[in-house]
Amino acid sequence: MKSIKKYVEQIEEEIEGAKDYAEKYVECKAADNIQSATRYKEMANDELKHAMYIHEWAVKKIEEISKIYTAPEGMMEVWEKAHKHYVEQVAWI
């Protein structure tokens, strides 16, 4: 279950990076600095892409583990909460 926790932490790091870049995108766009805004938008999208890849790996890992082991209820609650947060943050960005 440590691997799932690690995935959750990695997803959160990628989401935080995407949020930072998205905020810089807005600042540059407001300042009419289109070239920098475009780069920040690309960087935010790259971070989201990384988060998506890690999320996919986590889902696959949970499915594999579930075939041979019943995860503790607390662990699944942590995952469900992290998954909900992931979806909300991606929508916000």
Side-chain angles (χ1 to χ4, degrees):
M1 291 292 127
K2 288 182 183 180
S3 62
I4 304 304
K5 182 180 177 186
K6 185 68 174 171
Y7 285 135
V8 169
E9 291 169 354
Q10 290 174 329
I11 290 168
E12 187 62 32
E13 288 175 17
E14 298 295 339
I15 293 293
E16 286 302 314
K19 284 170 51 177
D20 290 343
Y21 292 137
E23 288 172 0
K24 290 179 181 175
Y25 160 78
V26 171
E27 291 171 9
C28 290
K29 183 93 171 174
D32 204 31
N33 185 346
I34 303 305
Q35 184 177 9
S36 292
T38 300
R39 293 290 181 237
Y40 278 120
K41 183 177 179 180
E42 290 170 0
M43 292 163 65
N45 285 329
D46 287 345
E47 294 293 301
L48 289 175
K49 185 171 34 172
H50 301 159
M52 181 185 68
Y53 293 155
I54 297 166
H55 180 264
E56 289 172 1
W57 294 333
V59 168
K60 184 177 179 181
K61 185 73 166 182
I62 289 171
E63 289 173 357
E64 290 172 359
I65 290 171
S66 295
K67 290 178 185 176
I68 58 172
Y69 176 75
T70 301
E73 187 176 319
M75 185 64 219
M76 291 311 295
E77 287 175 13
V78 168
W79 169 249
E80 292 299 325
K81 184 178 177 181
H83 177 74
K84 181 180 177 188
H85 180 71
Y86 164 78
V87 171
E88 291 170 351
Q89 292 298 302
V90 168
W92 181 86
I93 295 168

